Amino acid sequence: MTSSSSTSQDTQDMQDTQSLAKNNPDGLRADALMEEDVAWSHEIDGDRDGDQFDRSERAALRRVAGLSTELEDVTEVEYRQLRLERVVLVGVWTSGTATDADNSLAELAALAETAGALVLDGVVQRRDKPDAATYIGSGKANELRDVVLETGADTVICDGELSPGQLIHLEDVVKVKVIDRTALILDIFAQHAKSREGKAQVALAQMQYMLPRLRGWGQSLSRQMGGGSGGGLATRGPGETKIETDRRRIREKMAKMRREIADMKTGRDIKRQERRRNKVPSVAIAGYTNAGKSSLLNRLTGAGVLVENSLFATLDPTVRRAETPSGRLYTLADTVGFVRHLPHHLVEAFRSTMEEVGDSDLILHVVDGSHPAPEEQLAAVREVVRDVGATKVPEIVVINKADAADPLVLQRLMRNEKRSIAVSARTGQGIQELLALIDVELPHPSVELEALVPYTLGRLVARAHADGEVLSEEHTPEGTLLKARVHEELAAELAPYAPVPAA
C-alpha cells in the first residue's frame, strides 16, 4: 500500500515538474541550479545557456570577458580628461592700476592651470592692505562663500602669501580648502623638479613653508608624558605635544636636506672652478618664466632642452658649451625662471643653483616681448638678481618672441634698455647679431704684452695663466718668454721684464 502510494506520488511529481518546465522554465532552472545531484533532462537542461558547473566552481571568481579597457592597438589611444581641481581666484588690489591687478590675477590663473587646476572664477577687492584676519575682510569672505557655492569650486587660491591665521579663518568662512600663491608655486616646482638636487631644493622650501602652518586636531594636541629623573614613571611634567614633535622632526629633516644640498653644491663648484682654470668665460641666461630661455639655449647651442608653453617647464640648470663667431669658447647656463613675488623660501633653497648667475661673466636677461607688461617682468627678475648678489655682472636684455610682439612695444623696450637686442628663438631672427654681441661683451684682458720672466718668478707666469689669456709661451735659457693678454695690475708687474727691442 505504501509502495504503490509512493510510486503514484513520484509519478505525480514528475508530471508536475514537466508541466512547470514547460510553463516556467526560468524559475525551474534557478531551482535546479541549487541542487547538487539533479538529473540531466533534455527537456529541462537542453535550454540551459552555457556550461554547467559544480557548486564550488560556481562560487569561484571568474573573469568576465569584454570588460577590460586596455587597448591592444596603440593607434586607438585617446586622451581622457581627468578630474581637475576646480578653483576660484582671489586678489587684493593695494597699489597700482586696475590693469595691474587684472594682470596679476591672470598670471595666477596661468599658475593654477600649470598646476593642473580648472579656474572657474576670479575676484579682486580694493583695499589699502590685506585684512589681518581673513585677507579680504569678513563681509567679502561671506560673498566669496556665495561664489564658491554658485560655481561648485573645491579650492580658493589667494594672490599673496597668507599667514597661518588668515588661512584658518578664511577656510572657516568659505568651507573649502584655501591655499596661497606661495603654496601654488611650490606645488608647481614639486611637479617639475627632475634632478636629485632640484627635488631636494623643492622639498626644503616646502618644509620651510609648512613648518609654521602645521595644525593639529583632537589627539594631535595631546601631550606625551614628560621624562622622569631616574626613568620609570614619568612624573616631572608634561612633555611635547604631538604638533611640537612634528615640528621637531621637520627641523631635523630640514637640517639633513641642507647638508645634502651643500654636498651637491660642492660638485657644481668644482666644475665651475675647472672652467675658470681653463679660462672659459661663462654666460648665464636669466629671465621671467615662459620668456623663452630654454628655446634660446636650444637655438644657440642645440642643447635639446624641454621647451613647453607653460610656466616653470624646466627647473634644473643646464650648462652647454658654445662658440662665438670669432672662435672663442664659452659656457651657456640656463637657470630657473623667475616670477613676481617669488617665494623667499624658493630663493633661499635655490640659492646654490642661482649662483650660476652671480658667478657668470655675462647675463642674458630674456624678456617676453609679446607679454602685456614686459617692464614688470624686467623689474621682477632684477629684484631676484639683487637677492643673489649678481648686480655687478654685465647684462644684455634679450627681447624674445620678436616675431609675435607689437613693434611699438619693441621700440619702447629698446629705447629704455640701452644694451638690448630683439630676437626670435623660434624663427632665428636676430640670433647671429646676438652671437656677435656676446663676442664683444665677453670680458677680455685689457693689456697685451710680451715679457721674459725669470724662472725665479714663476708665480707671475702662473697668474698670467689664471687671470689672463696666454697667447704663447716659450722656455729659454734666460727665463719664460710669455706673450699674453692680462689685466692692468698684472701688466704693471710684468712690465720690467719686457724684452728690450734690438737696436
Side-chain angles (χ1 to χ4, degrees):
M1 184 69 178
T2 305
S3 175
S4 74
S5 298
S6 300
T7 304
S8 301
Q9 185 65 36
D10 293 340
T11 303
Q12 184 64 35
D13 292 340
M14 185 176 295
Q15 291 174 354
D16 292 342
T17 300
Q18 292 175 353
S19 177
L20 282 171
K22 293 179 180 179
N23 297 331
N24 189 14
D26 293 333
L28 187 58
R29 185 179 304 115
D31 293 337
L33 285 172
M34 300 302 296
E35 295 294 331
E36 281 188 335
D37 300 323
V38 65
W40 189 89
S41 168
H42 179 74
E43 295 181 358
I44 298 176
D45 301 308
D47 296 332
R48 287 183 176 175
D49 48 350
D51 298 332
Q52 307 307 308
F53 303 98
D54 294 336
R55 176 176 293 178
S56 60
E57 293 176 318
R58 291 199 302 270
L61 290 175
R62 61 190 180 92
R63 188 180 299 277
V64 180
L67 294 186
S68 174
T69 58
E70 184 178 359
L71 301 178
E72 296 180 359
D73 187 354
V74 294
T75 61
E76 299 177 14
V77 174
E78 60 182 15
Y79 290 104
R80 293 173 171 83
Q81 186 174 7
L82 301 176
R83 166 69 165 80
L84 299 178
E85 203 164 0
R86 301 161 64 84
V87 302
V88 171
L89 310 180
V90 181
V92 172
W93 170 23
T94 57
S95 61
T97 64
T99 303
D100 295 336
D102 292 343
N103 289 339
S104 181
L105 210 64
E107 183 177 271
L108 185 66
L111 289 169
E113 291 175 356
T114 302
L118 179 63
V119 179
L120 302 178
D121 203 350
V123 293
V124 177
Q125 185 196 10
R126 183 73 171 93
R127 294 180 65 94
D128 293 335
K129 61 180 181 180
D131 183 68
T134 59
Y135 183 66
I136 55 176
S138 57
K140 296 299 180 183
N142 290 324
E143 293 182 21
L144 177 61
R145 170 62 177 164
D146 296 336
V147 174
V148 169
L149 289 173
E150 180 183 349
T151 58
D154 48 35
T155 304
V156 170
I157 304 179
C158 297
D159 190 15
E161 185 167 341
L162 273 62
S163 67
Q166 288 173 325
L167 281 171
I168 295 173
H169 293 147
L170 192 56
E171 279 187 352
D172 289 341
V173 176
V174 299
K175 306 300 181 185
V176 296
K177 181 175 68 174
V178 177
I179 64 173
D180 57 12
R181 182 189 182 94
T182 300
L184 179 62
I185 294 176
L186 288 173
D187 181 75
I188 296 173
F189 271 59
Q191 292 181 38
H192 292 181
K194 295 294 185 291
S195 69
R196 178 168 170 257
E197 184 175 11
K199 292 178 180 178
Q201 289 168 328
V202 173
L204 176 60
Q206 286 179 319
M207 285 187 285
Q208 287 176 317
Y209 173 79
M210 183 173 58
L211 186 60
R213 292 170 174 82
L214 287 179
R215 284 182 278 172
W217 294 270
Q219 291 297 319
S220 296
L221 296 176
S222 62
R223 287 189 179 274
Q224 302 179 34
M225 296 297 291
S229 59
L233 295 178
T235 57
R236 176 169 294 183
E240 292 178 306
T241 62
K242 179 64 167 61
I243 198 168
E244 289 170 345
T245 305
D246 292 342
R247 285 174 179 159
R248 175 168 52 80
R249 288 174 178 169
I250 288 178
R251 291 190 187 98
E252 291 172 354
K253 289 183 180 178
M254 288 170 59
K256 179 182 178 182
M257 203 70 68
R258 287 193 179 98
R259 289 194 297 270
E260 292 180 358
I261 293 174
D263 292 341
M264 290 182 272
K265 176 180 178 293
T266 302
R268 192 169 51 252
D269 288 343
I270 292 174
K271 294 178 182 177
R272 193 181 298 128
Q273 291 172 4
E274 184 69 16
R275 293 197 295 267
R276 287 176 181 171
R277 190 177 67 83
N278 294 325
K279 277 83 64 182
V280 179
S282 61
V283 178
I285 302 178
Y288 213 78
T289 179
N290 205 32
K293 299 184 299 300
S294 298
S295 300
L296 183 63
L297 178 69
N298 290 342
R299 173 65 70 170
L300 293 175
T301 66
V305 178
L306 169 69
V307 173
E308 188 176 340
N309 185 22
S310 66
L311 307 185
F312 300 113
T314 52
L315 296 182
D316 303 317
T318 303
V319 180
R320 291 292 184 270
R321 181 175 173 174
E323 187 174 336
T324 64
S326 64
R328 297 183 65 196
L329 295 178
Y330 65 97
T331 60
L332 201 59
D334 182 19
T335 61
V336 63
F338 302 147
V339 72
R340 276 182 300 183
H341 311 302
L342 190 67
H344 63 276
H345 306 299
L346 279 174
V347 176
E348 190 64 32
F350 277 78
R351 184 172 297 276
S352 59
T353 301
M354 294 177 182
E355 285 177 357
E356 291 287 349
V357 177
D359 291 336
S360 62
D361 298 304
L362 180 67
I363 296 177
L364 298 184
H365 184 166
V366 183
V367 60
D368 184 357
S370 62
H371 191 270
E375 289 86 359
E376 293 182 9
Q377 288 192 352
L378 287 168
V381 173
R382 283 169 176 161
E383 181 180 352
V384 180
V385 169
R386 282 195 300 270
D387 290 341
V388 297
T391 54
K392 296 182 179 180
V393 182
E395 175 192 72
I396 297 175
V397 176
V398 181
I399 308 169
N400 194 23
K401 306 181 184 180
D403 55 322
D406 186 347
L408 295 178
V409 175
L410 291 179
Q411 292 177 11
R412 185 181 75 235
L413 286 173
M414 297 186 72
R415 183 172 60 252
N416 295 336
E417 301 294 337
K418 302 305 179 184
R419 302 174 66 187
S420 61
I421 184 171
V423 304
S424 172
R426 186 176 68 86
T427 64
Q429 172 188 343
I431 295 298
Q432 294 303 320
E433 292 81 356
L434 175 60
L435 288 171
L437 186 58
I438 292 173
D439 197 359
V440 172
E441 294 292 337
L442 279 177
H444 296 267
S446 56
V447 181
E448 183 173 341
L449 54 77
E450 186 174 356
L452 183 61
V453 184
Y455 289 119
T456 56
L457 296 176
R459 57 181 178 82
L460 295 179
V461 178
R463 285 180 58 189
H465 279 282
D467 302 333
E469 296 179 11
V470 176
L471 304 179
S472 65
E473 185 178 11
E474 181 182 353
H475 298 288
T476 67
E478 295 79 14
T480 303
L481 183 59
L482 191 69
K483 186 176 182 180
R485 292 193 185 98
V486 295
H487 297 291
E488 294 180 358
E489 181 182 358
L490 182 57
E493 295 185 44
L494 290 172
Y497 307 101
V500 178

